[in-house]
PDB file of all heavy atoms in Angstrom:
ATOM      1  N   TYR B 206     -18.045 -42.539  47.481  1.00  0.00           N
ATOM      2  CA  TYR B 206     -17.154 -41.467  47.030  1.00  0.00           C
ATOM      3  C   TYR B 206     -16.164 -41.960  45.987  1.00  0.00           C
ATOM      4  O   TYR B 206     -15.806 -41.224  45.064  1.00  0.00           O
ATOM      5  CB  TYR B 206     -16.453 -40.812  48.227  1.00  0.00           C
ATOM      6  CG  TYR B 206     -17.437 -40.031  49.072  1.00  0.00           C
ATOM      7  CD1 TYR B 206     -17.774 -40.429  50.356  1.00  0.00           C
ATOM      8  CD2 TYR B 206     -18.081 -38.916  48.526  1.00  0.00           C
ATOM      9  CE1 TYR B 206     -18.711 -39.737  51.102  1.00  0.00           C
ATOM     10  CE2 TYR B 206     -19.027 -38.221  49.264  1.00  0.00           C
ATOM     11  CZ  TYR B 206     -19.335 -38.632  50.555  1.00  0.00           C
ATOM     12  OH  TYR B 206     -20.286 -37.943  51.260  1.00  0.00           O
ATOM     13  N   LEU B 219     -13.453 -37.168  29.004  1.00  0.00           N
ATOM     14  CA  LEU B 219     -14.310 -36.772  27.889  1.00  0.00           C
ATOM     15  C   LEU B 219     -14.065 -35.329  27.459  1.00  0.00           C
ATOM     16  O   LEU B 219     -14.081 -35.006  26.278  1.00  0.00           O
ATOM     17  CB  LEU B 219     -15.780 -36.927  28.288  1.00  0.00           C
ATOM     18  CG  LEU B 219     -16.433 -38.282  28.046  1.00  0.00           C
ATOM     19  CD1 LEU B 219     -17.762 -38.360  28.757  1.00  0.00           C
ATOM     20  CD2 LEU B 219     -16.614 -38.534  26.558  1.00  0.00           C
ATOM     21  N   SER B 230      -4.182 -22.804  21.601  1.00  0.00           N
ATOM     22  CA  SER B 230      -4.296 -22.128  20.309  1.00  0.00           C
ATOM     23  C   SER B 230      -3.824 -20.683  20.387  1.00  0.00           C
ATOM     24  O   SER B 230      -3.616 -20.040  19.370  1.00  0.00           O
ATOM     25  CB  SER B 230      -5.730 -22.188  19.809  1.00  0.00           C
ATOM     26  OG  SER B 230      -6.557 -21.381  20.609  1.00  0.00           O
ATOM     27  N   ASP B 249       3.095 -12.088  27.130  1.00  0.00           N
ATOM     28  CA  ASP B 249       3.957 -12.315  25.968  1.00  0.00           C
ATOM     29  C   ASP B 249       3.859 -13.751  25.456  1.00  0.00           C
ATOM     30  O   ASP B 249       4.192 -14.024  24.305  1.00  0.00           O
ATOM     31  CB  ASP B 249       5.425 -12.034  26.332  1.00  0.00           C
ATOM     32  CG  ASP B 249       5.666 -10.537  26.455  1.00  0.00           C
ATOM     33  OD1 ASP B 249       4.733  -9.797  26.068  1.00  0.00           O
ATOM     34  OD2 ASP B 249       6.748 -10.151  26.922  1.00  0.00           O
ATOM     35  N   VAL B 278     -26.278 -26.633   1.099  1.00  0.00           N
ATOM     36  CA  VAL B 278     -27.046 -27.223  -0.001  1.00  0.00           C
ATOM     37  C   VAL B 278     -27.325 -28.698   0.301  1.00  0.00           C
ATOM     38  O   VAL B 278     -28.460 -29.182   0.129  1.00  0.00           O
ATOM     39  CB  VAL B 278     -26.285 -27.067  -1.331  1.00  0.00           C
ATOM     40  CG1 VAL B 278     -27.093 -27.650  -2.470  1.00  0.00           C
ATOM     41  CG2 VAL B 278     -25.984 -25.610  -1.594  1.00  0.00           C
ATOM     42  N   ALA B 279     -26.288 -29.401   0.784  1.00  0.00           N
ATOM     43  CA  ALA B 279     -26.480 -30.804   1.152  1.00  0.00           C
ATOM     44  C   ALA B 279     -27.532 -30.921   2.256  1.00  0.00           C
ATOM     45  O   ALA B 279     -28.368 -31.819   2.242  1.00  0.00           O
ATOM     46  CB  ALA B 279     -25.154 -31.411   1.609  1.00  0.00           C
ATOM     47  N   LEU B 281     -30.069 -28.841   2.918  1.00  0.00           N
ATOM     48  CA  LEU B 281     -31.407 -28.591   2.365  1.00  0.00           C
ATOM     49  C   LEU B 281     -31.950 -29.835   1.671  1.00  0.00           C
ATOM     50  O   LEU B 281     -33.087 -30.243   1.900  1.00  0.00           O
ATOM     51  CB  LEU B 281     -31.343 -27.438   1.354  1.00  0.00           C
ATOM     52  CG  LEU B 281     -31.534 -26.047   1.937  1.00  0.00           C
ATOM     53  CD1 LEU B 281     -31.431 -25.008   0.839  1.00  0.00           C
ATOM     54  CD2 LEU B 281     -32.891 -25.961   2.627  1.00  0.00           C
ATOM     55  N   HIS B 298     -50.031 -47.581   7.233  1.00  0.00           N
ATOM     56  CA  HIS B 298     -49.924 -48.717   6.320  1.00  0.00           C
ATOM     57  C   HIS B 298     -48.796 -48.493   5.339  1.00  0.00           C
ATOM     58  O   HIS B 298     -48.985 -47.873   4.311  1.00  0.00           O
ATOM     59  CB  HIS B 298     -51.219 -48.914   5.537  1.00  0.00           C
ATOM     60  CG  HIS B 298     -52.409 -48.976   6.414  1.00  0.00           C
ATOM     61  ND1 HIS B 298     -52.684 -50.055   7.218  1.00  0.00           N
ATOM     62  CD2 HIS B 298     -53.405 -48.083   6.651  1.00  0.00           C
ATOM     63  CE1 HIS B 298     -53.785 -49.833   7.887  1.00  0.00           C
ATOM     64  NE2 HIS B 298     -54.241 -48.633   7.577  1.00  0.00           N
ATOM     65  N   TYR B 337     -18.565 -30.206  -7.902  1.00  0.00           N
ATOM     66  CA  TYR B 337     -19.285 -29.679  -6.745  1.00  0.00           C
ATOM     67  C   TYR B 337     -20.520 -30.510  -6.435  1.00  0.00           C
ATOM     68  O   TYR B 337     -20.761 -30.904  -5.298  1.00  0.00           O
ATOM     69  CB  TYR B 337     -19.661 -28.227  -7.036  1.00  0.00           C
ATOM     70  CG  TYR B 337     -20.629 -27.606  -6.059  1.00  0.00           C
ATOM     71  CD1 TYR B 337     -20.203 -27.197  -4.809  1.00  0.00           C
ATOM     72  CD2 TYR B 337     -21.962 -27.438  -6.404  1.00  0.00           C
ATOM     73  CE1 TYR B 337     -21.086 -26.627  -3.916  1.00  0.00           C
ATOM     74  CE2 TYR B 337     -22.857 -26.867  -5.516  1.00  0.00           C
ATOM     75  CZ  TYR B 337     -22.418 -26.460  -4.284  1.00  0.00           C
ATOM     76  OH  TYR B 337     -23.297 -25.899  -3.402  1.00  0.00           O
ATOM     77  N   PHE B 351     -29.952 -39.266   9.477  1.00  0.00           N
ATOM     78  CA  PHE B 351     -30.125 -38.491  10.702  1.00  0.00           C
ATOM     79  C   PHE B 351     -31.452 -37.754  10.682  1.00  0.00           C
ATOM     80  O   PHE B 351     -32.149 -37.667  11.700  1.00  0.00           O
ATOM     81  CB  PHE B 351     -28.971 -37.505  10.877  1.00  0.00           C
ATOM     82  CG  PHE B 351     -27.647 -38.188  11.002  1.00  0.00           C
ATOM     83  CD1 PHE B 351     -26.759 -38.221   9.946  1.00  0.00           C
ATOM     84  CD2 PHE B 351     -27.291 -38.830  12.180  1.00  0.00           C
ATOM     85  CE1 PHE B 351     -25.550 -38.868  10.048  1.00  0.00           C
ATOM     86  CE2 PHE B 351     -26.088 -39.474  12.298  1.00  0.00           C
ATOM     87  CZ  PHE B 351     -25.212 -39.491  11.229  1.00  0.00           C
ATOM     88  N   VAL B 361     -43.421 -39.895  16.488  1.00  0.00           N
ATOM     89  CA  VAL B 361     -43.964 -40.909  17.386  1.00  0.00           C
ATOM     90  C   VAL B 361     -44.898 -40.245  18.401  1.00  0.00           C
ATOM     91  O   VAL B 361     -45.960 -40.759  18.732  1.00  0.00           O
ATOM     92  CB  VAL B 361     -42.827 -41.668  18.105  1.00  0.00           C
ATOM     93  CG1 VAL B 361     -43.367 -42.502  19.241  1.00  0.00           C
ATOM     94  CG2 VAL B 361     -42.090 -42.540  17.102  1.00  0.00           C
ATOM     95  N   MET B 374     -62.280 -30.169   9.181  1.00  0.00           N
ATOM     96  CA  MET B 374     -62.675 -28.765   9.093  1.00  0.00           C
ATOM     97  C   MET B 374     -62.408 -28.204   7.707  1.00  0.00           C
ATOM     98  O   MET B 374     -62.503 -26.999   7.484  1.00  0.00           O
ATOM     99  CB  MET B 374     -61.945 -27.946  10.136  1.00  0.00           C
ATOM    100  CG  MET B 374     -62.348 -28.381  11.524  1.00  0.00           C
ATOM    101  SD  MET B 374     -61.468 -27.479  12.740  1.00  0.00           S
ATOM    102  CE  MET B 374     -62.832 -26.939  13.729  1.00  0.00           C
ATOM    103  N   LEU B 389     -45.495 -28.607  14.589  1.00  0.00           N
ATOM    104  CA  LEU B 389     -45.314 -29.484  15.742  1.00  0.00           C
ATOM    105  C   LEU B 389     -44.079 -30.367  15.612  1.00  0.00           C
ATOM    106  O   LEU B 389     -43.451 -30.714  16.612  1.00  0.00           O
ATOM    107  CB  LEU B 389     -46.560 -30.347  15.950  1.00  0.00           C
ATOM    108  CG  LEU B 389     -47.723 -29.564  16.564  1.00  0.00           C
ATOM    109  CD1 LEU B 389     -49.013 -30.350  16.449  1.00  0.00           C
ATOM    110  CD2 LEU B 389     -47.428 -29.247  18.026  1.00  0.00           C
ATOM    111  N   GLY B 393     -37.889 -31.563  15.595  1.00  0.00           N
ATOM    112  CA  GLY B 393     -37.242 -32.741  15.024  1.00  0.00           C
ATOM    113  C   GLY B 393     -36.589 -32.428  13.693  1.00  0.00           C
ATOM    114  O   GLY B 393     -35.469 -32.858  13.421  1.00  0.00           O
ATOM    115  N   ALA B 398     -31.813 -31.382  10.619  1.00  0.00           N
ATOM    116  CA  ALA B 398     -31.058 -30.524   9.702  1.00  0.00           C
ATOM    117  C   ALA B 398     -29.681 -30.213  10.286  1.00  0.00           C
ATOM    118  O   ALA B 398     -28.679 -30.201   9.566  1.00  0.00           O
ATOM    119  CB  ALA B 398     -31.823 -29.243   9.424  1.00  0.00           C
ATOM    120  N   LEU B 440      -4.833 -25.659  15.550  1.00  0.00           N
ATOM    121  CA  LEU B 440      -5.391 -25.483  16.888  1.00  0.00           C
ATOM    122  C   LEU B 440      -6.374 -24.323  16.924  1.00  0.00           C
ATOM    123  O   LEU B 440      -7.398 -24.382  17.603  1.00  0.00           O
ATOM    124  CB  LEU B 440      -4.272 -25.263  17.905  1.00  0.00           C
ATOM    125  CG  LEU B 440      -3.356 -26.462  18.115  1.00  0.00           C
ATOM    126  CD1 LEU B 440      -2.378 -26.181  19.234  1.00  0.00           C
ATOM    127  CD2 LEU B 440      -4.168 -27.699  18.424  1.00  0.00           C
ATOM    128  N   SER B 450     -19.459 -25.924  18.011  1.00  0.00           N
ATOM    129  CA  SER B 450     -20.248 -27.047  18.528  1.00  0.00           C
ATOM    130  C   SER B 450     -20.960 -26.676  19.827  1.00  0.00           C
ATOM    131  O   SER B 450     -22.045 -27.180  20.097  1.00  0.00           O
ATOM    132  CB  SER B 450     -19.404 -28.309  18.690  1.00  0.00           C
ATOM    133  OG  SER B 450     -18.172 -28.023  19.251  1.00  0.00           O
TER     134      SER B 450
END
Side-chain angles (χ1 to χ4, degrees):
Chain B
Y206 291 112
L219 272 168
S230 69
D249 286 350
V278 181
L281 271 179
H298 308 288
Y337 169 76
F351 298 103
V361 168
M374 296 178 129
L389 285 167
L440 294 186
S450 43

